[in-house]
mmCIF file of all heavy atoms in Angstrom:
data_model
loop_
_atom_site.group_PDB
_atom_site.id
_atom_site.type_symbol
_atom_site.label_atom_id
_atom_site.label_comp_id
_atom_site.label_asym_id
_atom_site.label_seq_id
_atom_site.Cartn_x
_atom_site.Cartn_y
_atom_site.Cartn_z
ATOM 1 N N ASP A 8 50.687 -69.006 -90.606
ATOM 2 C CA ASP A 8 50.864 -70.352 -89.999
ATOM 3 C C ASP A 8 50.548 -71.427 -91.031
ATOM 4 O O ASP A 8 51.339 -72.318 -91.154
ATOM 5 C CB ASP A 8 49.947 -70.605 -88.756
ATOM 6 C CG ASP A 8 50.261 -69.577 -87.688
ATOM 7 O OD1 ASP A 8 51.495 -69.271 -87.400
ATOM 8 O OD2 ASP A 8 49.369 -69.207 -86.790
ATOM 9 N N ILE A 9 49.578 -71.306 -91.717
ATOM 10 C CA ILE A 9 49.132 -72.207 -92.715
ATOM 11 C C ILE A 9 50.225 -72.399 -93.765
ATOM 12 O O ILE A 9 50.583 -73.477 -94.227
ATOM 13 C CB ILE A 9 47.721 -71.965 -93.276
ATOM 14 C CG1 ILE A 9 46.636 -72.089 -92.188
ATOM 15 C CG2 ILE A 9 47.407 -72.983 -94.426
ATOM 16 C CD1 ILE A 9 45.343 -71.540 -92.569
ATOM 17 N N ARG A 10 50.728 -71.306 -94.257
ATOM 18 C CA ARG A 10 51.646 -71.255 -95.300
ATOM 19 C C ARG A 10 52.986 -71.857 -94.855
ATOM 20 O O ARG A 10 53.731 -72.490 -95.648
ATOM 21 C CB ARG A 10 51.922 -69.932 -95.789
ATOM 22 C CG ARG A 10 50.793 -69.129 -96.588
ATOM 23 C CD ARG A 10 51.160 -67.911 -97.308
ATOM 24 N NE ARG A 10 51.740 -66.909 -96.423
ATOM 25 C CZ ARG A 10 52.960 -66.391 -96.421
ATOM 26 N NH1 ARG A 10 53.798 -66.878 -97.246
ATOM 27 N NH2 ARG A 10 53.313 -65.540 -95.535
ATOM 28 N N SER A 11 53.258 -71.696 -93.503
ATOM 29 C CA SER A 11 54.635 -72.242 -93.106
ATOM 30 C C SER A 11 54.601 -73.761 -93.052
ATOM 31 O O SER A 11 55.684 -74.302 -92.853
ATOM 32 C CB SER A 11 54.894 -71.662 -91.668
ATOM 33 O OG SER A 11 54.068 -72.116 -90.694
ATOM 34 N N ALA A 12 53.520 -74.419 -93.214
ATOM 35 C CA ALA A 12 53.408 -75.819 -93.218
ATOM 36 C C ALA A 12 53.637 -76.344 -94.732
ATOM 37 O O ALA A 12 53.155 -77.399 -95.207
ATOM 38 C CB ALA A 12 52.048 -76.336 -92.796
ATOM 39 N N ARG A 13 54.501 -75.625 -95.479
ATOM 40 C CA ARG A 13 54.741 -75.905 -96.909
ATOM 41 C C ARG A 13 55.074 -77.390 -97.154
ATOM 42 O O ARG A 13 54.840 -77.906 -98.133
ATOM 43 C CB ARG A 13 55.661 -74.861 -97.447
ATOM 44 C CG ARG A 13 56.985 -74.767 -96.744
ATOM 45 C CD ARG A 13 58.087 -75.544 -97.197
ATOM 46 N NE ARG A 13 59.115 -75.806 -96.190
ATOM 47 C CZ ARG A 13 59.958 -76.732 -96.167
ATOM 48 N NH1 ARG A 13 60.081 -77.558 -97.187
ATOM 49 N NH2 ARG A 13 60.858 -76.819 -95.222
ATOM 50 N N GLY A 14 55.891 -77.885 -96.230
ATOM 51 C CA GLY A 14 56.372 -79.279 -96.469
ATOM 52 C C GLY A 14 55.324 -80.322 -96.581
ATOM 53 O O GLY A 14 55.392 -81.356 -97.083
ATOM 54 N N LEU A 15 54.082 -79.926 -96.029
ATOM 55 C CA LEU A 15 52.916 -80.841 -96.086
ATOM 56 C C LEU A 15 52.598 -81.294 -97.522
ATOM 57 O O LEU A 15 52.189 -82.378 -97.751
ATOM 58 C CB LEU A 15 51.733 -80.203 -95.403
ATOM 59 C CG LEU A 15 50.404 -80.730 -95.596
ATOM 60 C CD1 LEU A 15 50.347 -82.026 -94.776
ATOM 61 C CD2 LEU A 15 49.286 -79.768 -95.124
ATOM 62 N N PHE A 16 52.848 -80.327 -98.410
ATOM 63 C CA PHE A 16 52.277 -80.643 -99.765
ATOM 64 C C PHE A 16 53.192 -81.592 -100.612
ATOM 65 O O PHE A 16 52.893 -81.959 -101.722
ATOM 66 C CB PHE A 16 52.181 -79.269 -100.547
ATOM 67 C CG PHE A 16 50.973 -78.512 -99.867
ATOM 68 C CD1 PHE A 16 51.359 -77.466 -98.944
ATOM 69 C CD2 PHE A 16 49.682 -78.815 -99.959
ATOM 70 C CE1 PHE A 16 50.374 -76.684 -98.260
ATOM 71 C CE2 PHE A 16 48.748 -78.154 -99.335
ATOM 72 C CZ PHE A 16 48.999 -77.005 -98.453
ATOM 73 N N PHE A 17 54.268 -81.989 -100.030
ATOM 74 C CA PHE A 17 55.030 -82.998 -100.628
ATOM 75 C C PHE A 17 54.416 -84.368 -100.403
ATOM 76 O O PHE A 17 54.874 -85.432 -100.937
ATOM 77 C CB PHE A 17 56.430 -83.005 -100.114
ATOM 78 C CG PHE A 17 57.314 -81.875 -100.672
ATOM 79 C CD1 PHE A 17 57.177 -80.566 -100.204
ATOM 80 C CD2 PHE A 17 58.148 -82.004 -101.670
ATOM 81 C CE1 PHE A 17 57.926 -79.523 -100.640
ATOM 82 C CE2 PHE A 17 58.911 -80.996 -102.269
ATOM 83 C CZ PHE A 17 58.808 -79.743 -101.612
ATOM 84 N N TYR A 18 53.446 -84.403 -99.562
ATOM 85 C CA TYR A 18 52.713 -85.748 -99.226
ATOM 86 C C TYR A 18 51.195 -85.524 -99.493
ATOM 87 O O TYR A 18 50.387 -85.221 -98.577
ATOM 88 C CB TYR A 18 52.906 -85.985 -97.731
ATOM 89 C CG TYR A 18 54.415 -85.987 -97.314
ATOM 90 C CD1 TYR A 18 54.975 -84.854 -96.865
ATOM 91 C CD2 TYR A 18 55.065 -87.160 -97.257
ATOM 92 C CE1 TYR A 18 56.176 -84.926 -96.524
ATOM 93 C CE2 TYR A 18 56.393 -87.222 -96.833
ATOM 94 C CZ TYR A 18 57.028 -86.045 -96.446
ATOM 95 O OH TYR A 18 58.323 -86.034 -96.047
ATOM 96 N N PRO A 19 50.720 -85.771 -100.717
ATOM 97 C CA PRO A 19 49.331 -85.465 -100.965
ATOM 98 C C PRO A 19 48.337 -86.213 -100.079
ATOM 99 O O PRO A 19 47.311 -85.720 -99.669
ATOM 100 C CB PRO A 19 49.158 -85.862 -102.417
ATOM 101 C CG PRO A 19 50.594 -85.726 -102.926
ATOM 102 C CD PRO A 19 51.503 -86.060 -101.937
ATOM 103 N N GLN A 20 48.730 -87.518 -99.756
ATOM 104 C CA GLN A 20 47.809 -88.347 -98.886
ATOM 105 C C GLN A 20 47.670 -87.783 -97.422
ATOM 106 O O GLN A 20 46.720 -88.087 -96.779
ATOM 107 C CB GLN A 20 48.378 -89.776 -98.870
ATOM 108 C CG GLN A 20 48.270 -90.486 -100.143
ATOM 109 C CD GLN A 20 48.774 -91.948 -100.061
ATOM 110 O OE1 GLN A 20 48.131 -92.712 -99.492
ATOM 111 N NE2 GLN A 20 49.888 -92.176 -100.659
ATOM 112 N N GLN A 21 48.615 -86.957 -97.081
ATOM 113 C CA GLN A 21 48.489 -86.183 -95.763
ATOM 114 C C GLN A 21 47.852 -84.894 -95.942
ATOM 115 O O GLN A 21 47.082 -84.424 -95.011
ATOM 116 C CB GLN A 21 49.877 -86.096 -95.011
ATOM 117 C CG GLN A 21 50.455 -87.364 -94.694
ATOM 118 C CD GLN A 21 51.820 -87.077 -93.847
ATOM 119 O OE1 GLN A 21 51.917 -86.135 -93.038
ATOM 120 N NE2 GLN A 21 52.840 -87.911 -94.026
ATOM 121 N N ALA A 22 48.314 -84.154 -97.023
ATOM 122 C CA ALA A 22 47.779 -82.729 -97.139
ATOM 123 C C ALA A 22 46.184 -82.732 -97.389
ATOM 124 O O ALA A 22 45.587 -81.882 -96.733
ATOM 125 C CB ALA A 22 48.487 -82.186 -98.253
ATOM 126 N N ALA A 23 45.713 -83.562 -98.262
ATOM 127 C CA ALA A 23 44.328 -83.572 -98.554
ATOM 128 C C ALA A 23 43.399 -83.676 -97.299
ATOM 129 O O ALA A 23 42.451 -82.792 -97.209
ATOM 130 C CB ALA A 23 44.010 -84.512 -99.596
ATOM 131 N N PRO A 24 43.535 -84.671 -96.489
ATOM 132 C CA PRO A 24 42.726 -84.794 -95.383
ATOM 133 C C PRO A 24 42.868 -83.699 -94.345
ATOM 134 O O PRO A 24 41.892 -83.230 -93.741
ATOM 135 C CB PRO A 24 42.930 -86.163 -94.732
ATOM 136 C CG PRO A 24 44.345 -86.525 -95.303
ATOM 137 C CD PRO A 24 44.452 -85.860 -96.686
ATOM 138 N N LEU A 25 44.108 -83.149 -94.206
ATOM 139 C CA LEU A 25 44.332 -82.099 -93.282
ATOM 140 C C LEU A 25 43.662 -80.738 -93.718
ATOM 141 O O LEU A 25 43.014 -80.096 -92.939
ATOM 142 C CB LEU A 25 45.741 -81.948 -92.998
ATOM 143 C CG LEU A 25 46.127 -81.063 -91.775
ATOM 144 C CD1 LEU A 25 47.487 -81.589 -91.182
ATOM 145 C CD2 LEU A 25 46.309 -79.570 -92.183
ATOM 146 N N VAL A 26 43.794 -80.564 -94.990
ATOM 147 C CA VAL A 26 43.123 -79.256 -95.513
ATOM 148 C C VAL A 26 41.691 -79.337 -95.518
ATOM 149 O O VAL A 26 40.883 -78.361 -95.180
ATOM 150 C CB VAL A 26 43.626 -78.932 -97.022
ATOM 151 C CG1 VAL A 26 42.893 -77.714 -97.497
ATOM 152 C CG2 VAL A 26 45.147 -78.612 -96.960
ATOM 153 N N ALA A 27 41.159 -80.570 -95.766
ATOM 154 C CA ALA A 27 39.644 -80.785 -95.650
ATOM 155 C C ALA A 27 39.242 -80.567 -94.172
ATOM 156 O O ALA A 27 38.128 -79.944 -94.020
ATOM 157 C CB ALA A 27 39.321 -82.198 -96.129
ATOM 158 N N ALA A 28 40.004 -80.998 -93.267
ATOM 159 C CA ALA A 28 39.627 -80.815 -91.835
ATOM 160 C C ALA A 28 39.767 -79.360 -91.484
ATOM 161 O O ALA A 28 38.950 -78.807 -90.636
ATOM 162 C CB ALA A 28 40.456 -81.651 -90.932
ATOM 163 N N LEU A 29 40.710 -78.674 -91.946
ATOM 164 C CA LEU A 29 40.869 -77.190 -91.707
ATOM 165 C C LEU A 29 39.760 -76.446 -92.295
ATOM 166 O O LEU A 29 39.165 -75.477 -91.691
ATOM 167 C CB LEU A 29 42.211 -76.795 -92.243
ATOM 168 C CG LEU A 29 42.596 -75.260 -92.093
ATOM 169 C CD1 LEU A 29 42.722 -74.920 -90.568
ATOM 170 C CD2 LEU A 29 43.832 -74.923 -92.836
ATOM 171 N N LYS A 30 39.231 -76.821 -93.516
ATOM 172 C CA LYS A 30 38.195 -76.165 -94.118
ATOM 173 C C LYS A 30 36.846 -76.369 -93.221
ATOM 174 O O LYS A 30 36.128 -75.417 -93.053
ATOM 175 C CB LYS A 30 37.926 -76.735 -95.448
ATOM 176 C CG LYS A 30 36.688 -76.118 -96.297
ATOM 177 C CD LYS A 30 36.763 -76.640 -97.724
ATOM 178 C CE LYS A 30 35.639 -76.082 -98.447
ATOM 179 N NZ LYS A 30 34.292 -76.772 -98.074
ATOM 180 N N ALA A 31 36.763 -77.605 -92.825
ATOM 181 C CA ALA A 31 35.612 -77.809 -91.865
ATOM 182 C C ALA A 31 35.611 -77.016 -90.678
ATOM 183 O O ALA A 31 34.490 -76.524 -90.145
ATOM 184 C CB ALA A 31 35.426 -79.297 -91.646
ATOM 185 N N ALA A 32 36.753 -76.869 -90.031
ATOM 186 C CA ALA A 32 36.916 -76.040 -88.821
ATOM 187 C C ALA A 32 36.625 -74.619 -89.132
ATOM 188 O O ALA A 32 35.983 -73.974 -88.284
ATOM 189 C CB ALA A 32 38.354 -76.249 -88.225
ATOM 190 N N ALA A 33 37.013 -74.170 -90.316
ATOM 191 C CA ALA A 33 36.828 -72.748 -90.610
ATOM 192 C C ALA A 33 35.283 -72.466 -90.783
ATOM 193 O O ALA A 33 34.781 -71.358 -90.495
ATOM 194 C CB ALA A 33 37.552 -72.304 -91.817
ATOM 195 N N GLU A 34 34.529 -73.456 -91.219
ATOM 196 C CA GLU A 34 33.179 -73.314 -91.646
ATOM 197 C C GLU A 34 32.307 -73.690 -90.386
ATOM 198 O O GLU A 34 31.022 -73.662 -90.468
ATOM 199 C CB GLU A 34 32.812 -74.076 -92.833
ATOM 200 C CG GLU A 34 33.453 -73.678 -93.984
ATOM 201 C CD GLU A 34 33.271 -74.714 -95.258
ATOM 202 O OE1 GLU A 34 32.841 -75.744 -94.970
ATOM 203 O OE2 GLU A 34 33.582 -74.236 -96.366
ATOM 204 N N GLY A 35 32.941 -74.179 -89.192
ATOM 205 C CA GLY A 35 32.142 -74.599 -88.113
ATOM 206 C C GLY A 35 31.376 -75.979 -88.438
ATOM 207 O O GLY A 35 30.379 -76.218 -87.786
ATOM 208 N N ALA A 36 31.867 -76.655 -89.402
ATOM 209 C CA ALA A 36 31.124 -77.915 -89.798
ATOM 210 C C ALA A 36 31.899 -79.013 -89.056
ATOM 211 O O ALA A 36 32.901 -79.043 -88.563
ATOM 212 C CB ALA A 36 31.301 -78.132 -91.338
ATOM 213 N N PRO A 37 31.108 -80.261 -88.991
ATOM 214 C CA PRO A 37 31.774 -81.465 -88.412
ATOM 215 C C PRO A 37 32.982 -81.935 -89.100
ATOM 216 O O PRO A 37 33.050 -81.668 -90.312
ATOM 217 C CB PRO A 37 30.639 -82.437 -88.458
ATOM 218 C CG PRO A 37 29.338 -81.711 -88.719
ATOM 219 C CD PRO A 37 29.705 -80.489 -89.379
ATOM 220 N N GLN A 38 33.921 -82.435 -88.415
ATOM 221 C CA GLN A 38 35.106 -82.891 -89.078
ATOM 222 C C GLN A 38 34.790 -83.997 -89.998
ATOM 223 O O GLN A 38 33.949 -84.971 -89.680
ATOM 224 C CB GLN A 38 36.198 -83.382 -88.005
ATOM 225 C CG GLN A 38 36.729 -82.209 -87.254
ATOM 226 C CD GLN A 38 37.664 -81.365 -88.166
ATOM 227 O OE1 GLN A 38 38.634 -81.858 -88.746
ATOM 228 N NE2 GLN A 38 37.370 -80.091 -88.288
ATOM 229 N N PRO A 39 35.356 -84.006 -91.204
ATOM 230 C CA PRO A 39 35.081 -85.098 -92.245
ATOM 231 C C PRO A 39 35.460 -86.496 -91.716
ATOM 232 O O PRO A 39 36.535 -86.680 -91.068
ATOM 233 C CB PRO A 39 35.889 -84.673 -93.445
ATOM 234 C CG PRO A 39 36.914 -83.803 -92.906
ATOM 235 C CD PRO A 39 36.404 -83.111 -91.697
ATOM 236 N N ALA A 40 34.722 -87.457 -91.948
ATOM 237 C CA ALA A 40 35.141 -88.788 -91.578
ATOM 238 C C ALA A 40 36.032 -89.412 -92.678
ATOM 239 O O ALA A 40 36.122 -88.806 -93.840
ATOM 240 C CB ALA A 40 33.811 -89.707 -91.550
ATOM 241 N N GLY A 41 36.683 -90.450 -92.327
ATOM 242 C CA GLY A 41 37.555 -91.066 -93.405
ATOM 243 C C GLY A 41 38.982 -91.069 -92.995
ATOM 244 O O GLY A 41 39.360 -91.511 -91.930
ATOM 245 N N ALA A 42 39.840 -90.551 -93.892
ATOM 246 C CA ALA A 42 41.337 -90.588 -93.711
ATOM 247 C C ALA A 42 41.653 -89.928 -92.382
ATOM 248 O O ALA A 42 41.149 -88.868 -92.003
ATOM 249 C CB ALA A 42 42.065 -89.975 -94.902
ATOM 250 N N ALA A 43 42.670 -90.542 -91.708
ATOM 251 C CA ALA A 43 43.254 -89.879 -90.512
ATOM 252 C C ALA A 43 43.840 -88.527 -90.763
ATOM 253 O O ALA A 43 44.465 -88.396 -91.820
ATOM 254 C CB ALA A 43 44.236 -90.882 -89.895
ATOM 255 N N VAL A 44 43.677 -87.638 -89.978
ATOM 256 C CA VAL A 44 44.104 -86.303 -90.132
ATOM 257 C C VAL A 44 45.505 -86.114 -89.341
ATOM 258 O O VAL A 44 45.563 -86.267 -88.196
ATOM 259 C CB VAL A 44 43.141 -85.128 -89.675
ATOM 260 C CG1 VAL A 44 43.734 -83.825 -89.781
ATOM 261 C CG2 VAL A 44 41.865 -85.327 -90.450
ATOM 262 N N PRO A 45 46.570 -85.759 -90.126
ATOM 263 C CA PRO A 45 47.870 -85.669 -89.180
ATOM 264 C C PRO A 45 47.712 -84.494 -88.295
ATOM 265 O O PRO A 45 46.936 -83.528 -88.430
ATOM 266 C CB PRO A 45 48.874 -85.293 -90.490
ATOM 267 C CG PRO A 45 48.136 -85.688 -91.704
ATOM 268 C CD PRO A 45 46.663 -85.530 -91.492
ATOM 269 N N ASP A 46 48.637 -84.457 -87.300
ATOM 270 C CA ASP A 46 48.754 -83.442 -86.333
ATOM 271 C C ASP A 46 49.538 -82.283 -86.983
ATOM 272 O O ASP A 46 50.671 -82.443 -87.243
ATOM 273 C CB ASP A 46 49.428 -83.991 -85.107
ATOM 274 C CG ASP A 46 49.499 -82.924 -83.914
ATOM 275 O OD1 ASP A 46 49.290 -81.697 -84.256
ATOM 276 O OD2 ASP A 46 49.693 -83.357 -82.794
ATOM 277 N N LEU A 47 48.817 -81.099 -87.174
ATOM 278 C CA LEU A 47 49.504 -79.959 -87.798
ATOM 279 C C LEU A 47 50.670 -79.500 -87.002
ATOM 280 O O LEU A 47 51.670 -78.939 -87.622
ATOM 281 C CB LEU A 47 48.501 -78.918 -88.130
ATOM 282 C CG LEU A 47 48.886 -77.734 -88.834
ATOM 283 C CD1 LEU A 47 49.478 -78.155 -90.189
ATOM 284 C CD2 LEU A 47 47.809 -76.650 -89.007
ATOM 285 N N ARG A 48 50.577 -79.678 -85.670
ATOM 286 C CA ARG A 48 51.720 -79.159 -84.930
ATOM 287 C C ARG A 48 53.056 -79.888 -85.295
ATOM 288 O O ARG A 48 54.050 -79.313 -85.206
ATOM 289 C CB ARG A 48 51.478 -79.431 -83.408
ATOM 290 C CG ARG A 48 50.418 -78.389 -82.868
ATOM 291 C CD ARG A 48 49.819 -78.804 -81.493
ATOM 292 N NE ARG A 48 49.066 -80.014 -81.616
ATOM 293 C CZ ARG A 48 48.233 -80.395 -80.713
ATOM 294 N NH1 ARG A 48 48.112 -79.750 -79.555
ATOM 295 N NH2 ARG A 48 47.485 -81.461 -80.865
ATOM 296 N N GLU A 49 52.873 -81.201 -85.694
ATOM 297 C CA GLU A 49 54.113 -81.915 -86.130
ATOM 298 C C GLU A 49 54.641 -81.320 -87.362
ATOM 299 O O GLU A 49 55.795 -81.154 -87.593
ATOM 300 C CB GLU A 49 53.759 -83.388 -86.271
ATOM 301 C CG GLU A 49 53.576 -84.078 -85.044
ATOM 302 C CD GLU A 49 54.917 -84.341 -84.278
ATOM 303 O OE1 GLU A 49 55.988 -84.507 -84.938
ATOM 304 O OE2 GLU A 49 54.867 -84.142 -83.000
ATOM 305 N N LEU A 50 53.702 -80.844 -88.368
ATOM 306 C CA LEU A 50 54.200 -80.378 -89.546
ATOM 307 C C LEU A 50 54.641 -78.992 -89.450
ATOM 308 O O LEU A 50 55.507 -78.564 -90.244
ATOM 309 C CB LEU A 50 52.961 -80.382 -90.539
ATOM 310 C CG LEU A 50 52.462 -81.924 -90.819
ATOM 311 C CD1 LEU A 50 51.050 -81.789 -91.401
ATOM 312 C CD2 LEU A 50 53.365 -82.523 -91.780
ATOM 313 N N LEU A 51 54.170 -78.224 -88.515
ATOM 314 C CA LEU A 51 54.718 -76.760 -88.245
ATOM 315 C C LEU A 51 56.021 -76.907 -87.436
ATOM 316 O O LEU A 51 56.745 -75.953 -87.426
ATOM 317 C CB LEU A 51 53.638 -76.038 -87.382
ATOM 318 C CG LEU A 51 52.346 -75.694 -88.205
ATOM 319 C CD1 LEU A 51 51.343 -75.053 -87.170
ATOM 320 C CD2 LEU A 51 52.643 -74.764 -89.277
ATOM 321 N N GLY A 52 56.284 -78.133 -86.897
ATOM 322 C CA GLY A 52 57.524 -78.188 -86.081
ATOM 323 C C GLY A 52 57.189 -78.223 -84.665
ATOM 324 O O GLY A 52 56.326 -77.488 -84.175
ATOM 325 N N ALA A 53 57.776 -79.231 -84.046
ATOM 326 C CA ALA A 53 57.449 -79.494 -82.628
ATOM 327 C C ALA A 53 57.909 -78.142 -81.774
ATOM 328 O O ALA A 53 58.785 -77.347 -82.232
ATOM 329 C CB ALA A 53 58.223 -80.593 -81.961
#
């Protein structure tokens, strides 16, 4: 699923906060503050 969002990486300003948020979710950590996190469902396709 994560790999299929390959189009995300054409937009570094979207990709970085989303991957940071995904990392936090995997570690059970609080979601990082700061840049808005895009909706991954949009990037995977509605």
Side-chain angles (χ1 to χ4, degrees):
D8 293 330
I9 297 170
R10 292 192 300 116
S11 70
R13 49 93 202 164
L15 169 68
F16 297 101
F17 287 78
Y18 308 88
Q20 294 181 71
Q21 292 186 39
L25 195 147
V26 175
L29 182 62
K30 179 173 179 286
E34 296 172 347
Q38 287 293 301
V44 178
D46 187 342
L47 186 58
R48 284 166 294 196
E49 287 291 321
L50 297 160
L51 290 172

